[in-house]
């Protein structure tokens, strides 16, 4: 059996290496372009002006134009070609829709680029070397950075060689103007070069605004003769003079067939050093014989270790996770994320989501030497440069701590309980006919793992003060427990009034048994009592992973099981009442906080209200678990506009302790406790 497994794994590894992602680019020959008709249309107000420079090969520039024509067609653009070779002029002049600038005289290339910028009509300028072939979404992913980040000055692409290795993933400048090309010769999917990050400059493929903050043109310094140092100087000037950052965007991939974009001369290098040496004082940080290029990040660096891939559009725990990420990034910290279970079919879409959020995602990949580097190897490798290891949930802690134990060298460990699993299971016992010995063992197992994780760790995170008190009463030192709860932001301009709304709403993830129980409780016991008095009331059940057999049994016109919704705003804005008849569970209930964000009046139980600071009849209606009492509250609130208005107006009161500012302060207090000074 062992030999069979060995060969099975070998075959699996072989297939993984064989199927690794490659960017395939076929260069068209000149004969192809004799019959190809370019279709560039003149734009009056294009969003982007693409300026192609460095032309010394007609075949390359035609291929460059060919792929520009092919990708991101939905973005309005103009194409400006700087021609420096008279032999190409006749051919290029025949291409309709492009602007041709001939640079045959003594003007430098930088002067020609600036002249092109002056003539450009676009809001954005996209400087592109002619030996670079863009890939799908090359431009949209660059523009997106300007939309999702503040203080963006320029954004550059991942430069990939024809042999499918990284040429450049942005550049950093260190002491004495020493330039480091990030990612050089690494595999294109190496995680450490596959997330959105600040860099000092990017070359070869760079997007920036045509007009700067002073309403002047963004022009390059004509004292330089090469685009490489002129662009480097430009990006650094954006930071120094306008406090605007340059980002490297790995989702914008371009293939480069020549390193001509790096062509420089010694005078440029000397001029660059003379001008910028005083500005760069960071030394390359070398730990454990590895160079950690951590410029632009503040200590501490974080390693996040989870059980499953967080999905912020699907459950409240993942929403909380993402808000914590945002807080840490806002304060300049780098985050590495690894998950224990990765489902290729269900989780792959979240990889670019987190990469675009600036998170380094550990995942199995094939390196430049054709070796598989698995997630566990990357986690161990990250220990050479992270300062805090933040581990979520008991099974996650058990798995990851076993991996890193003995390899830790001064890092602080945080155990994030998310909720108390054993407590949730104990409460569930009240709704199980027979509590078996196996179940008692399961509860004891979780309790043992949870308290072991808390006692081993340097700090513990609870999601509510109630859970903080529970674990401190069970022997965990209270001064090392910090509450970092859900984060809720009020939704502005909630449109519909009482009379224009209809129906009840419940939302949840149905891999979570308390939510399944709540739906059953609603369908089997509560709503029949409601319908006996008002059979017109409908309920809408939202959320992912609803069991198919239960949907087939329960779904009807009055009890609509709608499953996962890409956006849930419509339901929160149009439903009249949010119901959460939770009979067991633990932690803070994100679904209730989400309803309060939309000022949607809530009816829940004591379990649902736990940790939420709700007041009955003021900020919510709180029922016991008697189905008749819950049904009566639904009927009362559904028809009583005055009561509805009271809860509607007071909905935001409980959210103050769930604000970004409150959780940010709680995280800072924890980091201070761990010895990290702001």
């Amino acid at each position: 059996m062992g030999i069979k497994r060995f060969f099975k794994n070998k075959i699996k590894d072989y297939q993984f290496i064989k199927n690794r992602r490659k960017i395939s680019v076929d260069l068209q020959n000149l004969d192809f372009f004799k019959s190809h008709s370019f279709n560039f249309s003149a734009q009056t107000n294009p969003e982007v002006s693409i300026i192609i420079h460095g032309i010394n090969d007609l075949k390359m520039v035609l291929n460059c134009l060919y792929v520009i024509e092919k990708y991101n067609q939905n973005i309005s653009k103009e194409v400006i070609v700087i021609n420096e070779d008279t032999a190409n002029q006749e051919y290029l002049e025949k291409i309709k829709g492009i602007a041709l600038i001939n640079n045959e005289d003594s003007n430098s290339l930088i002067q020609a680029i600036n002249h092109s910028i002056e003539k450009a009509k676009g809001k954005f300028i996209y400087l592109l070397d002619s030996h670079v072939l863009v890939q799908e979404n090359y431009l949209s992913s660059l523009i997106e950075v300007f939309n999702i980040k503040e203080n963006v000055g320029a954004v550059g692409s991942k430069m990939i060689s024809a042999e499918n290795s990284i040429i450049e993933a942005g550049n950093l400048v260190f002491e004495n103007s020493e330039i480091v090309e990030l990612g050089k010769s690494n595999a294109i999917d190496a995680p450490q070069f596959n997330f959105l990050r600040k860099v000092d400059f990017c070359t070869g493929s760079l997007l920036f605004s045509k007009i700067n903050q002073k309403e002047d043109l963004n022009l390059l310094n004509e004292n330089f003769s090469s685009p490489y140092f002129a662009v480097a100087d430009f990006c650094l000037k954006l930071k120094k003079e306008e406090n605007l950052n340059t980002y490297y965007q790995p989702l914008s991939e371009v293939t480069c067939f020549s390193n001509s974009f790096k062509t420089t001369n010694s005078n440029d290098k000397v001029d660059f050093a003379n001008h910028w040496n005083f500005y760069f004082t960071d030394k390359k940080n070398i730990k454990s014989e590895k160079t950690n290029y951590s410029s632009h990040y503040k200590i501490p660096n974080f390693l996040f270790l989870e059980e499953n891939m967080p999905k912020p559009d699907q459950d409240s725990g993942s929403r909380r996770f993402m808000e914590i990420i945002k807080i840490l990034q806002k304060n300049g910290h780098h985050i590495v994320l690894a998950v224990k279970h990765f489902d290729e079919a269900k989780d792959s879409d979240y990889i670019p989501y987190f990469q675009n959020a600036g998170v380094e995602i550990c995942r199995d990949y094939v390196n430049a030497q054709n070796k598989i580097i698995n997630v566990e190897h990357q986690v161990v490798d990250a220990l050479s440069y992270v300062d805090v290891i933040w581990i979520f949930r008991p099974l996650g802690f058990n798995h990851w701590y076993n991996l890193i134990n003995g390899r830790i060298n001064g890092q602080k460990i945080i155990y994030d309980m998310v909720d108390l699993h054993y407590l949730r299971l104990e409460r569930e016992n009240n709704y199980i006919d027979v509590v078996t010995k196996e179940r008692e063992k399961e509860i004891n197992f979780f309790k043992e793992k949870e308290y072991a994780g808390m006692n081993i760790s340097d700090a513990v995170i609870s999601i509510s003060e109630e859970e903080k008190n529970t674990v401190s009463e069970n022997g965990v030192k209270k001064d090392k427990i910090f509450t970092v709860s859900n984060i809720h932001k009020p939704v502005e301009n909630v449109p519909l009034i009482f009379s224009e709304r209809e129906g009840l709403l419940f939302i949840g993830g149905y891999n979570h048994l308390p939510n399944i129980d709540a739906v059953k409780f609603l369908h089997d016991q509560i709503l029949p009592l409601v319908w006996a008095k008002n059979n017109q009331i409908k309920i809408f059940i939202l959320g992912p992973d609803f069991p198919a057999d239960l949907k087939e049994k329960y779904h009807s016109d009055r009890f609509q099981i709608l499953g996962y919704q890409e956006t849930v705003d419509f339901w929160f804005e149009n439903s009249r009442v949010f119901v959460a008849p939770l009979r067991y569970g633990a932690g803070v209930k994100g679904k209730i906080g989400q309803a309060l964000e939309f000022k949607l009046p809530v009816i829940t139980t004591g379990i649902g209200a736990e940790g939420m600071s709700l007041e009955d009849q003021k900020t919510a209606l709180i029922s016991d678990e008697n189905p008749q009492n819950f049904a009566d509250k639904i009927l009362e609130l559904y028809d009583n506009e005055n009561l509805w208005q009271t809860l509607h107006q007071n909905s935001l009161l409980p959210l103050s302790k769930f604000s970004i500012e409150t959780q940010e302060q709680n995280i800072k207090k924890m980091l201070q406790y761990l010895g990290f000074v702001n």
Side-chain angles (χ1 to χ4, degrees):
M1 191 71 178
I3 294 175
K4 285 184 178 179
R5 188 181 299 114
F6 173 81
F7 282 107
K8 187 177 180 181
N9 288 337
K10 282 291 183 185
I11 293 169
K12 184 181 176 183
D13 288 351
Y14 170 78
Q15 290 296 333
F16 188 80
I17 293 171
K18 181 182 175 184
N19 296 327
R20 71 190 183 278
R21 189 174 73 95
K22 294 179 182 177
I23 293 178
S24 177
V25 178
D26 294 322
L27 286 174
Q28 306 296 338
N29 58 36
L30 287 174
D31 287 339
F32 171 85
F33 292 105
K34 289 177 182 177
S35 59
H36 177 75
S37 179
F38 282 102
N39 187 29
F40 293 109
S41 57
Q43 301 281 339
T44 307
N45 294 301
E47 185 173 9
V48 181
S49 295
I50 300 175
I51 300 175
I52 302 173
H53 61 84
I55 294 170
N56 55 23
D57 184 331
L58 181 60
K59 176 182 172 182
M60 277 309 310
V61 73
L62 292 176
N63 275 277
C64 180
L65 289 168
Y66 179 63
V67 290
I68 287 172
E69 181 184 53
K70 183 178 177 182
Y71 296 126
N72 272 150
Q73 294 179 355
N74 59 320
I75 297 174
S76 63
K77 58 182 82 74
E78 69 169 341
V79 178
I80 301 172
V81 178
I82 300 173
N83 179 38
E84 297 183 87
D85 189 341
T86 53
N88 299 331
Q89 184 173 338
E90 183 180 353
Y91 203 115
L92 293 172
E93 282 178 343
K94 294 176 182 177
I95 300 176
K96 293 181 181 179
I98 70 168
L100 188 62
I101 293 180
N102 288 305
N103 188 40
E104 302 160 14
D105 53 25
S106 58
N107 288 342
S108 74
L109 176 55
I110 307 307
Q111 286 176 312
I113 290 173
N114 283 342
H115 179 53
S116 301
I117 293 171
E118 289 168 356
K119 287 189 65 175
K121 301 172 185 173
K123 173 186 173 185
F124 291 106
I125 300 296
Y126 179 49
L127 286 187
L128 185 67
D129 189 275
S130 66
H131 296 82
V132 169
L133 301 192
V134 299
Q135 302 296 318
E136 191 171 359
N137 301 319
Y138 73 101
L139 199 49
S140 56
S141 55
L142 295 177
I143 293 171
E144 186 181 10
V145 181
F146 283 87
N147 297 326
I148 63 175
K149 292 290 185 182
E150 296 179 351
N151 302 321
V152 180
V155 189
S157 308
K158 183 196 295 180
M159 306 289 287
I160 297 171
S161 72
E163 293 75 33
N164 272 272
S165 63
I166 295 175
I167 296 175
E168 177 191 299
N171 300 271
L172 297 179
V173 187
F174 290 92
E175 189 178 37
N176 297 322
S177 295
E178 180 187 356
I179 295 171
V180 172
E181 300 163 338
L182 293 173
K184 187 176 180 180
S185 300
N186 277 267
I188 61 173
D189 285 329
Q192 62 269 39
F193 307 109
N194 234 13
F195 61 94
L196 183 69
R197 64 169 294 174
K198 294 176 188 174
V199 292
D200 289 322
F201 68 94
C202 295
T203 56
S205 168
L206 186 75
L207 184 78
F208 55 90
S209 297
K210 177 182 177 180
I211 305 296
N212 65 22
Q213 293 175 333
K214 298 176 182 177
E215 299 297 318
D216 296 325
L217 287 172
N218 269 325
L219 299 173
L220 305 186
N221 186 343
E222 294 180 5
N223 290 328
F224 295 101
S225 61
S226 68
Y228 181 85
F229 277 112
V231 165
D233 175 82
F234 170 72
C235 292
L236 298 177
K237 193 171 74 169
L238 285 174
K239 182 62 179 177
K240 180 188 175 188
E241 297 182 3
E242 300 183 57
N243 198 31
L244 296 177
N245 299 306
T246 296
Y247 281 88
Y248 157 69
Q249 169 58 294
L251 298 182
S252 174
E253 295 181 321
V254 300
T255 305
C256 190
F257 284 82
S258 165
N259 281 356
S260 62
F261 72 94
K262 293 184 178 180
T263 302
T264 63
N265 65 43
S266 56
N267 289 337
D268 277 356
K269 190 171 184 179
V270 170
D271 289 346
F272 181 82
N274 287 341
H275 188 71
W276 290 105
N277 268 357
F278 76 95
Y279 188 72
F280 291 97
T281 56
D282 285 352
K283 296 181 180 179
K284 285 189 291 188
N285 177 22
I286 299 177
K287 293 169 82 174
S288 306
E289 299 181 349
K290 293 180 184 294
T291 305
N292 172 31
Y293 301 124
S294 57
S295 265
H296 298 299
Y297 293 119
K298 294 179 182 175
I299 300 297
N301 293 317
F302 291 84
L303 174 60
F304 276 30
L305 301 174
E306 253 285 19
E307 284 185 40
N308 300 297
M309 178 62 69
K311 299 175 181 177
D313 60 336
Q314 295 200 27
D315 65 86
S316 64
S318 296
R319 285 184 72 197
R320 169 182 176 265
F321 179 94
M322 193 63 221
E323 293 297 336
I324 290 171
I325 294 280
K326 289 177 183 176
I327 287 171
L328 295 176
Q329 288 183 329
K330 173 189 163 190
N331 287 280
H333 304 294
H334 177 44
I335 297 115
V336 182
L337 168 63
V339 299
K340 178 185 176 186
H341 303 293
F342 182 78
D343 185 319
E344 192 71 37
K346 294 181 178 179
D347 298 344
S348 291
D349 287 348
Y350 293 89
I351 296 288
Y353 172 83
F354 279 105
Q355 289 172 339
N356 210 32
V359 178
E360 180 181 335
I361 299 276
C362 299
R363 64 180 305 194
D364 294 354
Y365 76 102
V366 180
N367 71 6
Q369 290 73 43
N370 268 353
K371 274 186 63 180
I372 297 173
I373 309 299
N374 63 29
V375 169
E376 287 75 15
H377 179 94
Q378 293 166 56
V379 167
V380 171
D381 193 53
L383 296 178
S384 67
Y385 58 88
V386 300
D387 310 287
V388 174
I389 305 165
W390 192 319
I391 313 179
F392 295 79
R393 308 171 206 271
L395 295 182
F397 190 91
N398 189 57
H399 171 79
W400 292 116
Y401 187 73
N402 286 339
L403 175 68
I404 63 176
N405 189 23
R407 297 183 167 104
I408 300 167
N409 183 24
Q411 294 92 348
K412 301 295 184 181
I413 297 178
I414 298 169
Y415 175 71
D416 193 325
M417 63 176 74
V418 183
D419 69 4
L420 283 173
H421 291 48
Y422 83 88
L423 182 60
R424 170 158 42 87
L425 292 170
E426 284 180 348
R427 289 171 171 176
E428 187 182 5
N429 282 351
N430 297 322
Y431 304 95
I432 294 175
D433 293 334
V434 178
V435 178
T436 63
K437 287 184 179 179
E438 286 73 20
R439 183 171 177 82
E440 290 291 354
K441 284 182 181 178
E442 182 185 14
I443 292 171
N444 289 332
F445 169 82
F446 274 105
K447 189 171 186 178
E448 177 189 333
K449 294 300 179 187
E450 288 183 281
Y451 281 100
M454 290 184 235
N455 288 317
I456 289 169
S457 300
D458 299 291
V460 175
I461 293 179
S462 67
I463 202 166
S464 70
E465 290 298 310
E466 286 84 348
E467 294 198 348
K468 177 178 180 176
N469 293 333
T470 297
V471 299
S472 64
E473 288 166 5
N474 281 278
V476 180
K477 286 173 58 180
K478 195 163 189 174
D479 65 344
K480 78 172 190 177
I481 308 170
F482 298 85
T483 298
V484 180
S485 196
N486 291 347
I487 292 173
H488 294 291
K489 294 167 277 190
V491 175
E492 296 180 3
N493 303 319
V494 178
L496 294 186
I497 60 174
F498 174 84
S499 61
E500 295 172 337
R501 295 168 174 262
E502 65 170 1
L504 311 175
L505 178 64
F506 179 78
I507 189 170
Y510 299 100
N511 285 325
H512 192 57
L513 291 179
N515 291 333
I516 293 283
D517 179 76
V519 171
K520 290 179 176 178
F521 189 32
L522 275 167
H523 184 275
D524 298 343
Q525 299 185 54
I526 296 172
L527 286 177
L529 300 172
V530 171
W531 289 330
K533 298 284 182 67
N534 184 345
N535 64 8
Q536 299 301 306
I537 296 178
K538 294 181 179 181
I539 185 165
F540 307 104
I541 307 292
L542 274 60
D545 303 313
F546 199 89
D549 58 335
L550 211 57
K551 179 174 181 179
E552 186 177 349
K553 180 181 176 182
Y554 282 176
H555 181 76
S556 68
D557 184 57
R558 288 191 302 185
F559 199 93
Q560 296 187 23
I561 298 170
L562 303 175
Y564 170 74
Q565 303 290 309
E566 200 165 304
T567 175
V568 296
D569 292 16
F570 172 85
W571 305 101
F572 279 101
E573 292 171 351
N574 287 270
S575 301
R576 188 174 288 183
V577 175
F578 187 84
V579 291
L582 297 161
R583 298 194 291 181
Y584 62 91
V588 173
K589 314 306 180 294
K591 59 180 68 65
I592 292 174
Q594 195 171 10
L596 297 174
E597 289 177 13
F598 284 88
K599 301 178 73 174
L600 177 60
V602 170
I603 305 173
T604 190
T605 59
I607 290 291
E610 186 177 50
M612 295 297 303
S613 300
L614 299 179
E615 293 182 57
D616 188 34
Q617 300 288 322
K618 182 179 180 182
T619 54
L621 294 188
I622 303 174
S623 173
D624 57 21
E625 292 160 26
N626 181 297
Q628 184 65 63
N629 292 344
F630 205 100
D632 289 343
K633 288 186 182 293
I634 290 175
L635 290 163
E636 178 187 13
L637 184 55
Y638 201 81
D639 292 324
N640 186 334
E641 184 170 358
N642 288 333
L643 177 59
W644 189 94
Q645 289 291 354
T646 297
L647 302 186
H648 176 72
Q649 295 299 330
N650 293 334
S651 290
L652 301 184
L653 296 178
L655 293 187
S656 60
K657 72 175 187 176
F658 300 107
S659 69
I660 293 173
E661 294 75 19
T662 299
Q663 306 317 316
E664 185 173 358
Q665 286 305 311
N666 292 343
I667 290 172
K668 285 182 176 179
K669 287 176 186 174
M670 177 182 65
L671 293 178
Q672 287 170 356
Y673 170 82
L674 292 173
F676 298 102
V677 180
N678 290 337

